[in-house]
Amino acid sequence: MLIKNIKSLLQTSSPTKALRGKSMSEMKSIENAWLLIENDIIKNFGSMDTCPDFNGETIDAIGKIVLPTWCDSHTHLVFSTSREEEFEMRLKGKSYQEIAQAGGGILNSAKKLQNTSEDDLFKSAFQRLHEVMKLGTGAIEIKSGYGLSVEGELKMLRVIKRLKEKSPIPIKANFLGAHSYPAEYKDDHQGYINLIVNEMLPQIAKEGLADYIDAFCEKVAFSVSDTEQIIKAGAKYGLKAKIHTNQFNCMGGIELCVENNALSVDHLEVVNDAEIECLKNSETIATLLPSAPFFLSDPYQPGRKLVDEGVAVALASDYNPGSSPSGNMNLVVSLACVKLKMTPEEAINAATINGAFAMELNEEYGSISKGKKANFILTKKIPSVAYIPYAFGSNLIDQVIINGKSI
Ligand code: NIG
Ligand code: FE
């Protein structure tokens, strides 16, 4: 397939490390371009004065922009049912943390998941996966964490495994047994950690069900030393850490993650100068999830400052029923510009190539490069790159191409 007369072909570099600092605002692109796809792979591209003769399927993209599909490196896409009852409680004044402490929140989702079959979980998650693909997502990470028991966590991870087998886009599985303490372990935190370490992890490793390990490091959830036990136990099975931290409190989670070479630290609504210093001297990626503070009316992540200080920043949706019931990466990119004060180029880089690095998928995804998978978004006719985050809420996508095929 040949796409010709592309107004602008975005992000044509293939960096070997996650972008940071000034490089986040650089977006190599070609104006008035062509792009040639062979099967599911990007074969070649260039400017129209070098366009090859081609007899196969040809798309005329006059006035349209082509960019890599979104790489959404943090989601909780597998869950039982929505939680709009808690949304309404929050509208009447209860906070997310109060609802969690009263047994709602994550525990509410865990209760619902217990009574949902593996088949039903698969069906609803598969539907959500297609929903986000149509919104331009071309690679995704999915967490467990609503099981909170040996059977529950294995059930979720087996659903993710089935999704991987059926999905046209790559999926990374992240084991989040340490999402919340189940009620029966309310006064025996070590007992639950032991269950994760001694029973869940060995079985998960045996079945090859996880690529990464996660924990919710927060006052309402796992302490820094609890999180340390989880990270170290995961490392024994070769699982790198991608950790929820600094959503509500600075507790030392970032330092712990950096010391343990975590692939990413995710959320970061609150982050202090010492933590920024620690992050910028590390390879750990800061994955910002602006739709969570949007939905919870919390303070936004200091995106501008993190970029200026030289931290590698990625953007993800956090798609989940409690804090971000949307997997729309177009909205995430708009929020990153409007609320986190990132530029359109920085936000698009953070949501594509840096997201790919945060899932270790950068060799095949995240940019328009020869030999990479042909996963890209073809926009409608739009005036400029900045129009993408500017026209928030409008659907600017004409076609999403996955593995060389329009979906
Ligand atoms: O990333 N904060 C922890 N976990 C999820 C929310 C989970 C939920 O509320 O169901 C998050 O925001
Ligand atoms: Fe999350």
Side-chain angles (χ1 to χ4, degrees), residues 209-223:
L209 292 175
D211 301 298
Y212 301 113
I213 191 152
D214 196 346
F216 184 21
C217 183
E218 189 49 66
K219 279 190 185 159
V220 289
F222 288 71
S223 72

Side-chain angles (χ1 to χ4, degrees), residues 74 76 83 96 105-106 109 146 179 216 244 247 267 289 292 318 320-323:
H74 180 136
H76 309 248
R83 302 206 313 252
Y96 178 78
I106 296 164
S109 277
Y146 294 126
H179 200 185
F216 184 21
H244 284 76
Q247 183 176 6
H267 265 294
L289 317 165
D318 200 15
N320 78 76
S323 67

Side-chain angles (χ1 to χ4, degrees), residues 278-323:
C278 171
L279 263 181
K280 78 183 205 199
N281 294 310
S282 79
E283 299 288 311
T284 301
I285 296 170
T287 300
L288 311 182
L289 317 165
S291 48
F294 167 74
F295 190 64
L296 299 181
S297 301
D298 282 338
Y300 285 91
Q301 294 88 356
R304 176 78 267 132
K305 187 165 182 189
L306 290 165
V307 172
D308 286 342
E309 292 285 338
V311 175
V313 170
L315 287 165
S317 74
D318 200 15
Y319 194 0
N320 78 76
S323 67

Side-chain angles (χ1 to χ4, degrees), residues 126-253:
F126 198 61
Q127 223 166 32
R128 283 178 211 120
L129 185 69
H130 278 272
E131 177 208 341
V132 298
M133 279 166 52
K134 286 198 186 120
L135 293 166
T137 295
I140 198 165
E141 180 252 32
I142 307 177
K143 299 167 194 298
S144 67
Y146 294 126
L148 308 182
S149 65
V150 178
E151 319 79 74
E153 286 298 307
L154 287 171
K155 178 161 77 174
M156 282 193 82
L157 290 165
R158 287 176 187 142
V159 169
I160 301 173
K161 188 177 179 190
R162 279 172 69 182
L163 290 170
K164 282 189 185 194
E165 288 160 5
K166 285 266 154 55
S167 166
I169 67 170
I171 296 175
K172 289 287 179 123
N174 195 348
F175 168 49
L176 177 55
H179 200 185
S180 178
Y181 284 105
E184 56 279 28
Y185 288 95
K186 200 167 137 255
D187 301 313
D188 178 19
H189 287 184
Q190 193 55 46
Y192 184 60
I193 295 173
N194 293 345
L195 190 74
I196 291 177
V197 174
N198 300 326
E199 299 196 35
M200 296 184 195
L201 264 172
Q203 189 61 29
I204 289 165
K206 198 168 142 200
E207 295 184 39
L209 292 175
D211 301 298
Y212 301 113
I213 191 152
D214 196 346
F216 184 21
C217 183
E218 189 49 66
K219 279 190 185 159
V220 289
F222 288 71
S223 72
V224 173
S225 68
D226 296 347
T227 305
E228 184 173 14
Q229 290 190 60
I230 302 292
I231 294 177
K232 296 228 150 90
K236 289 206 177 116
Y237 295 97
L239 304 179
K240 285 189 196 166
K242 285 167 67 64
I243 302 288
H244 284 76
T245 188
N246 291 56
Q247 183 176 6
F248 307 116
N249 296 283
C250 297
M251 316 194 314

